Amino acid sequence: MKKTNISLIVVLVLLISIIIFIGYRWGRSDKVIAQGYIELTTLRLASKIAGRIDKVFVEEGDSVSKGDTLYIISTPELDAKLSQVEAILSAAKAVDKKAMVGTRKPIVHSARDMWRKAQAGVTLARQTYSRVQRLYEEGVISAQKRDETYASLEAARATERAAKSQYLLAVEGASSEDKAAAKAQVQQAQSVVEEVERYLADRVVYAPTDGVIATVVANEGEIVGSGYPVITMTEENTAEAVFNISETLLPQIVDGKHFEAEVPALGKRIGFEVSHISVEADFATQSATSARGDFDIRTFEVKMKPLSSNVPLRAGMSVIIELQKPAKQ
């Protein structure tokens, strides 16, 4: 038992000695470590319509290509709505066709016959009036009888004019206003059909780019709302190393500069290139005190892209680079 305790004490002493030695060497080193992390572009995929998830074709971790089907939403209400608006469109087209074609031929022929009959009535009434007028001039009949005959002639003329108007309307068909209204109804119904079809097309959600499925939030049979993100995926070849660099170290960071960074998760060093330096500080990493007489040290976000796209970088991996320690820190 005593030997075991002695061994533990020896091990602890050695560990403490190693830690003190490393700390001493590191304190005297002219290098400083900056640690960042890998970030990838994340896409949250949702549909514009609400409904029940009918089928999910992917699982977490699957690699997908642009255009691959990810999931389908069942929308029987939209299917019924499409049938309804298509029926309205068919009715509107029928009205428009009737307005453009004009009145049917049997109706036109009937109106023509009525006009001809009215013309014959005018001819007969005119001849009758001529005979009555001669008899009146000869003193055979009274003025009352002549006036009645003249009134019959005028009535026949009015009937003829009305019959002619009906015939011309039948030949011309619908008015220009009616035709314009019928065409507008067709356009309105067509736009509604197209709107419903666009919503129905959004039932199927496709991969917008190449990438990897990160999470599948909802499963088959679940009801999701409009805009609810069902799947999240990371976009391929968008890996970036993100650092928060102290402003005292910022002079060493230049756009386009290359760094050899260690990625512990992969057990190797990888080349990175500075692609972005924030124009605005994020926060203070060291606050000034009046006793020391120094100043706040702020940090700036720096992003670096890997020089090779074949490295299997994943979101959250640590990335470590070495910078020159400033003269005063």
Side-chain angles (χ1 to χ4, degrees):
M1 190 72 177
K2 291 183 178 179
K3 290 183 178 181
T4 302
N5 291 336
I6 293 173
S7 299
L8 289 174
I9 292 172
V10 172
V11 171
L12 288 174
V13 170
L14 287 174
L15 287 174
I16 293 171
S17 300
I18 292 172
I19 292 172
I20 293 174
F21 176 75
I22 292 175
Y24 174 76
R25 291 293 303 273
W26 182 252
R28 297 189 59 184
S29 173
D30 59 349
K31 300 290 185 181
V32 62
I33 286 179
Q35 181 174 347
Y37 61 94
I38 294 296
E39 184 179 76
L40 285 89
T41 300
T42 300
L43 305 176
R44 295 171 177 82
L45 306 179
S47 174
K48 291 184 292 186
I49 61 175
R52 189 181 301 276
I53 296 180
D54 185 52
K55 183 70 175 177
V56 179
F57 296 92
V58 294
E59 296 179 353
E60 295 178 358
D62 287 351
S63 295
V64 295
S65 301
K66 181 178 180 180
D68 286 351
T69 302
L70 303 182
Y71 67 93
I72 297 176
I73 293 180
S74 175
T75 56
E77 297 83 2
L78 275 180
D79 293 334
K81 183 66 174 179
L82 179 62
S83 299
Q84 178 184 355
V85 295
E86 284 178 341
I88 295 175
L89 176 60
S90 297
K93 286 182 176 179
V95 173
D96 179 58
K97 182 178 180 180
K98 180 180 178 181
M100 298 305 296
V101 170
T103 311
R104 291 181 298 171
K105 289 183 178 180
I107 297 178
V108 174
H109 294 164
S110 177
R112 182 188 59 192
D113 293 340
M114 292 299 295
W115 181 34
R116 289 176 177 174
K117 180 180 178 181
Q119 288 175 322
V122 170
T123 302
L124 177 60
R126 186 183 300 113
Q127 293 172 351
T128 301
Y129 176 73
S130 298
R131 289 194 295 269
V132 169
Q133 178 65 25
R134 286 196 299 269
L135 293 173
Y136 170 73
E137 292 173 352
E138 295 173 357
V140 176
I141 61 174
S142 64
Q144 176 68 26
K145 185 64 176 179
R146 184 199 61 175
D147 293 342
E148 290 176 356
T149 306
Y150 181 76
S152 297
L153 173 61
E154 289 300 313
R157 287 172 175 170
T159 301
E160 187 269 340
R161 289 195 296 269
K164 181 180 180 181
S165 297
Q166 291 298 319
Y167 170 69
L168 294 177
L169 284 175
V171 171
E172 182 180 356
S175 65
S176 58
E177 292 80 7
D178 291 337
K179 292 179 180 179
K183 189 173 294 295
Q185 288 180 351
V186 172
Q187 293 174 348
Q188 181 182 15
Q190 183 67 52
S191 64
V192 176
V193 170
E194 291 174 356
E195 180 182 7
V196 175
E197 287 177 341
R198 283 195 294 269
Y199 277 116
L200 284 172
D202 207 50
R203 293 180 303 175
V204 184
V205 178
Y206 304 95
T209 184
D210 297 344
V212 177
I213 302 300
T215 57
V216 179
V217 180
N219 299 313
E220 294 177 9
E222 294 187 51
I223 296 177
V224 294
S226 174
Y228 182 81
V230 175
I231 288 177
T232 61
M233 61 176 289
T234 55
E235 190 174 352
E236 195 174 70
N237 298 327
T238 60
E240 287 182 316
V242 181
F243 298 87
N244 288 306
I245 302 296
S246 168
E247 62 182 313
T248 57
L249 301 174
L250 201 60
Q252 303 177 50
I253 308 296
V254 182
D255 276 331
K257 185 175 180 179
H258 290 186
F259 284 89
E260 284 290 323
E262 181 181 353
V263 182
L266 301 179
K268 59 181 178 181
R269 300 178 68 83
I270 297 172
F272 284 84
E273 179 182 358
V274 177
S275 58
H276 170 75
I277 302 174
S278 176
V279 296
E280 184 178 0
D282 291 331
F283 50 85
T285 56
Q286 179 178 318
S287 299
T289 63
S290 57
R292 292 206 311 261
D294 54 10
F295 57 90
D296 287 353
I297 299 177
R298 299 187 176 275
T299 63
F300 289 78
E301 184 181 72
V302 174
K303 294 183 178 181
M304 301 184 186
K305 289 186 177 293
L307 297 177
S308 174
S309 60
N310 296 325
V311 182
L313 295 171
R314 294 184 177 270
M317 286 183 175
S318 296
V319 182
I320 299 172
I321 61 173
E322 289 185 350
L323 298 172
Q324 192 72 28
K325 183 181 292 186
K328 293 183 179 181
Q329 184 168 341

